[in-house]
């Protein structure tokens, strides 16, 4: 168990190779009926250098006074601590700025032994570990509902899931993982298909008990119906009668699979953050959760706002959007968000960063990784990416934070194309929905407005800039928007692999 080891060489971003290497570590774990065989690899994400490896029970039970078995992630940290003669909780002092952890199973957030959980060990390293790549979620064999991934995401650690539902099925105590499943296919069917008695349709008044629990106490469901369109979920309207007979309506989105669950949490947290800042601009989110009667089915619930299928007028829309940006305050003073948010059904980079240039570069890298996963590697893309990260991003974004200039982390919608906006029929005021928020440079929002398919044209940016001054240096404004557009376009390209019109817009 010497910390002086020689590891294979990996290219930066070789997620599949690094997860395979983590699986190699898992195969070293001694099988037992009271544990899983898990492997982990700690990596400098900027270079691909392996910093340490670990597997469950690589170190003996009760090691260094920690009661219980040693977990794979813990063993990685022990090796770094021993190498640098540090306490484990201080290894963030020597870890690279962009450290990633590859683990074949979701980090634990509960230990039967009472030992410190792996999620806690990761989080106490003061954001040194920016990303955790997860092979499979932990089955409920020992812990009924491990929420390690959710806890990490809530605290700003980006989690990228490599699992699908089939890969989880074969994991039993003592079994060594033997196959690797790449990140879930963006085309994977996630739509909830309904079930007898719970369809969102005319004449049906039955809803799942988990949904009913979130509706006003004592209300009676009078109807459910399909309402709206989503590429990833079923959407509908629930009408109820309150105990005093007053009618009230709710919008519901229902989706399947683990990624669907994460998307529902993402939408709730995003809409909640925006609603807390500017409630008149966003329908009030009510809850998100999991059905009790249908396996692996999740929902997002919010207040129903009857909207006209039209885009708001530029001046009124810009007034509200600029208020959202200017009034919002990052809880950490940094760029990022407290949970992973999803644009479409693909995750975005959200780890907290002090610098906007740093955050954007990592967000762009995440989008490129998704594109490469969807389309395969390209020598031309590698060459262009090198110029993008080495020259273009520093040239356009570094001046924003130089010579005494600063960038305010503003809460942005994150996917603000025209179809995610509307006009309230009752008030005539603009509304936005389907948010995937994070705190960013406010001008980043406009990158989504550059493609020809978006109907938010130049007049909307002009109206916005009548409320908020262009960030200095002003002469870089158009270049910055083109750069921000590239980030959006890359994500869309990975999202819609088979739609050439969207890939070349």
């Amino acid at each position: 168990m010497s910390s002086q080891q020689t590891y294979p060489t990996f290219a930066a971003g070789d997620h599949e190779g690094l997860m395979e290497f983590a699986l190699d570590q898992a195969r070293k774990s001694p099988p037992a009926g009271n544990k899983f065989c898990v492997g982990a690899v700690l990596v400098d994400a900027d270079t691909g250098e392996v910093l340490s490896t670990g597997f469950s029970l690589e170190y003996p039970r009760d090691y260094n006074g920690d009661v219980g078995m040693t977990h794979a992630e813990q063993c990685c940290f022990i090796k770094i601590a021993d190498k640098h003669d540090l306490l484990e909780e201080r290894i963030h002092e020597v870890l690279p700025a962009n450290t990633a952890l590859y683990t074949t199973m979701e980090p634990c957030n509960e230990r039967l032994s009472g030992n410190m959980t792996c999620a806690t060990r990761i989080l106490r390293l003061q954001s040194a570990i920016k990303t955790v790549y997860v092979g499979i979620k932990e089955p409920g064999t020992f812990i009924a509902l491990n929420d390690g991934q959710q806890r990490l995401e809530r605290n700003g650690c980006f989690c990228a899931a490599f699992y699908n539902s089939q890969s989880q099925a074969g994991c039993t105590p003592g079994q060594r993982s033997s196959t690797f499943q790449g990140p879930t296919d963006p085309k994977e069917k996630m739509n909830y298909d309904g079930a007898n008695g719970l369809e969102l349709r005319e004449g049906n008044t039955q809803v799942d008990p988990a949904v009913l629990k979130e509706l006003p106490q004592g209300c009676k469901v009078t109807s459910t119906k399909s309402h709206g369109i989503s590429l990833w979920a079923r959407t509908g309207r629930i009408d109820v009668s309150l105990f005093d007979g007053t009618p009230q309506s709710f919008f519901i989105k229902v989706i399947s699979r683990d990624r669907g669950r994460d998307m529902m949490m993402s939408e709730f947290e995003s809409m909640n953050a925006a609603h807390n800042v500017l409630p008149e601009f966003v329908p009030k989110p009510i809850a998100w959760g999991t059905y009790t009667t249908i396996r692996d089915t999740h929902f997002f619930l919010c207040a129903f706002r009857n909207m006209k299928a039209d885009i708001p007028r530029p001046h009124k829309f810009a007034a509200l959007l600029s208020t959202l940006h200017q009034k919002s305050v990052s809880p950490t003073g940094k760029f990022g968000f407290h949970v992973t948010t999803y644009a479409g059904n693909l995750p975005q980079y959200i780890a907290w960063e002090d610098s906007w240039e740093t955050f954007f570069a990592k967000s762009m890298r995440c989008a490129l990784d998704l594109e490469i996963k969807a389309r395969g590697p390209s020598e031309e893309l590698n060459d262009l990416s090198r110029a993008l990260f080495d020259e273009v991003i520093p040239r356009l974004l570094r001046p924003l934070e130089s010579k005494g200039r600063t960038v305010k982390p503003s809460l942005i919608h994150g996917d603000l194309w025209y179809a995610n906006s509307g006009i309230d029929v009752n008030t005539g005021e603009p509304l936005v929905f389907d948010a995937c928020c994070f705190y960013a440079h406010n001008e980043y929002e406009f990158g989504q407005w550059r493609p020809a398919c978006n109907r938010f044209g130049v007049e909307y940016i002009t109206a916005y800039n009548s409320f908020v001054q262009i960030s200095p240096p002003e002469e870089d404004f158009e270049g910055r928007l083109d750069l921000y557009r590239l980030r959006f376009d890359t994500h869309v390209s990975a999202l819609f692999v088979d739609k050439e019109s969207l890939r070349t817009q």
Side-chain angles (χ1 to χ4, degrees):
M1 292 182 291
S2 169
S3 61
Q4 303 300 318
Q5 298 186 36
T6 301
Y7 300 115
T9 301
F10 296 91
D14 183 5
H15 305 306
E16 187 161 342
L18 286 161
M19 187 60 79
E20 288 283 6
F21 189 46
L23 284 167
D24 289 341
Q25 310 313 307
R27 296 184 184 104
K28 300 175 184 177
S29 181
N34 62 344
K35 62 177 281 291
F36 294 113
C37 295
V38 179
V41 180
L42 202 61
V43 178
D44 182 341
D46 289 335
T47 65
E49 178 189 359
V50 174
L51 306 173
S52 66
T53 62
F55 56 84
S56 46
L57 264 184
E58 181 175 5
Y59 286 79
R61 292 181 61 93
D62 304 337
Y63 186 78
N64 279 349
D66 281 338
V67 178
M69 290 183 283
T70 51
H71 284 198
E73 300 92 331
Q74 178 185 0
C75 293
C76 286
F77 301 158
I78 289 172
K79 291 177 183 177
I80 298 294
D82 288 350
K83 179 179 179 180
H84 295 277
D85 194 24
L86 290 170
L87 295 173
E88 183 190 326
E89 59 265 31
R90 290 184 56 196
I91 65 171
H92 62 87
E93 298 173 10
V94 296
L95 290 177
N98 188 20
T99 299
L101 176 68
Y102 292 77
T103 177
T104 59
M105 184 180 288
E106 174 187 21
C108 65
N109 195 34
E110 184 177 345
R111 296 285 300 270
L112 296 178
S113 66
N115 197 354
M116 182 180 293
T117 67
C118 293
T120 298
R121 292 179 187 275
I122 292 167
L123 292 174
R124 71 173 177 171
L125 297 180
Q126 301 184 22
S127 299
I129 297 178
K130 297 292 193 296
T131 309
V132 177
Y133 295 91
V134 178
I136 63 171
K137 291 193 67 65
E138 181 179 344
T141 309
F142 305 119
I143 302 296
L145 182 61
N146 180 45
D147 59 351
Q149 180 175 336
Q150 289 186 35
R151 183 183 173 204
L152 291 172
E153 291 176 338
R154 285 196 303 268
N155 286 276
C157 182
F158 179 71
C159 292
F162 281 74
Y163 53 78
N164 62 21
S165 59
Q166 285 73 36
S167 68
Q168 294 183 59
C171 188
T172 57
Q175 181 178 1
R176 295 185 175 97
S177 302
S178 59
T179 59
F180 170 77
Q181 302 285 347
T184 307
D185 187 341
K187 297 177 291 184
E188 172 190 41
K189 182 174 177 58
M190 301 174 68
N191 282 10
Y192 153 71
D193 291 323
N196 290 337
L198 292 180
E199 296 89 351
L200 298 168
R201 57 173 173 77
E202 294 284 354
N204 180 47
T205 59
Q206 299 299 311
V207 297
D208 186 86
V211 177
L212 186 62
K213 180 182 176 183
E214 302 297 343
L215 297 175
Q217 187 173 6
C219 74
K220 178 182 179 182
V221 177
T222 56
S223 72
T224 67
K225 61 189 73 173
S226 177
H227 180 88
I229 298 173
S230 171
L231 291 174
W232 322 110
R234 301 292 186 193
T235 54
R237 170 176 170 171
I238 300 174
D239 296 324
V240 307
S241 176
L242 302 182
F243 70 94
D244 62 357
T246 303
Q248 194 168 344
S249 298
F250 300 87
F251 175 82
I252 188 169
K253 184 179 289 188
V254 188
I255 194 169
S256 299
R257 299 185 181 272
D258 286 326
R259 183 171 296 199
R261 178 201 61 211
D262 295 341
M263 290 165 63
M264 296 299 93
M265 177 177 68
S266 159
E267 184 163 356
F268 175 81
E269 294 293 342
S270 294
M271 295 287 282
N272 195 49
H275 186 269
N276 285 341
V277 176
L278 202 61
E280 62 267 35
F281 198 34
V282 182
K284 181 180 180 180
I286 305 297
W288 77 277
T290 298
Y291 273 26
T292 60
T293 57
I294 307 176
R295 184 181 64 84
D296 200 21
T297 299
H298 319 283
F299 69 92
F300 164 74
L301 186 71
C302 71
F304 181 84
R305 302 281 289 270
N306 197 14
M307 284 181 270
K308 291 191 289 186
D310 198 1
I311 62 174
R313 292 184 177 277
H315 191 81
K316 187 175 288 189
F317 184 72
L320 288 168
L321 181 62
S322 62
T323 301
L324 174 68
H325 290 166
Q326 297 303 107
K327 188 178 177 183
S328 58
V329 177
S330 168
T332 64
K334 301 180 181 183
F335 302 95
F337 203 59
H338 63 285
V339 299
T340 298
T341 57
Y342 285 73
N345 71 341
L346 292 178
Q348 306 183 110
Y349 181 83
I350 51 78
W352 296 110
E353 301 287 353
D354 292 309
S355 160
W356 169 241
E357 179 189 344
T358 300
F359 180 91
F360 179 83
K362 291 181 179 180
S363 176
M364 188 72 228
R365 175 65 68 187
C366 178
L368 280 169
D369 285 346
L370 292 171
E371 166 72 357
I372 292 168
K373 183 64 186 178
R375 300 281 288 186
S378 159
E379 186 173 337
E380 180 183 16
L381 184 60
N382 287 341
D383 291 340
L384 292 172
S385 297
R386 195 172 299 112
L388 173 67
F389 288 99
D390 292 347
E391 300 176 31
V392 178
I393 292 176
R395 165 61 188 84
L396 289 173
L397 300 190
R398 193 162 298 169
L400 289 168
E401 300 172 300
S402 302
K403 298 182 179 179
R405 303 184 187 107
T406 60
V407 177
K408 173 190 180 296
S410 297
L411 186 70
I412 61 159
H413 178 284
D415 190 20
L416 194 52
W417 67 306
Y418 75 90
N420 284 342
S421 70
I423 300 173
D424 189 301
V425 169
N426 297 320
T427 66
E429 295 297 316
L431 290 171
V432 296
F433 48 91
D434 274 359
C436 51
C437 293
F438 53 90
Y439 290 88
H441 181 206
N442 64 304
E443 294 173 358
Y444 174 85
E445 197 92 88
F446 308 145
Q448 177 75 302
W449 298 3
R450 301 291 264 190
C453 67
N454 205 321
R455 293 164 60 190
F456 288 139
V458 174
E459 67 274 20
Y460 285 83
I461 296 178
T462 301
Y464 182 95
N465 288 335
S466 71
F467 295 101
V468 180
Q469 181 181 355
I470 294 173
S471 298
E474 290 84 350
E475 60 269 23
D476 290 344
F477 179 65
E478 293 295 328
R480 290 195 298 264
L481 297 200
D482 285 337
L483 178 62
Y484 297 159
R485 171 187 175 167
L486 179 62
R487 158 62 180 80
F488 279 101
D489 285 354
T490 304
H491 191 99
V492 168
S493 178
L495 197 60
F496 299 104
V497 178
D498 298 327
K499 295 187 178 181
E500 197 64 27
S501 61
L502 288 174
R503 293 176 56 81
T504 58
Q505 60 183 334

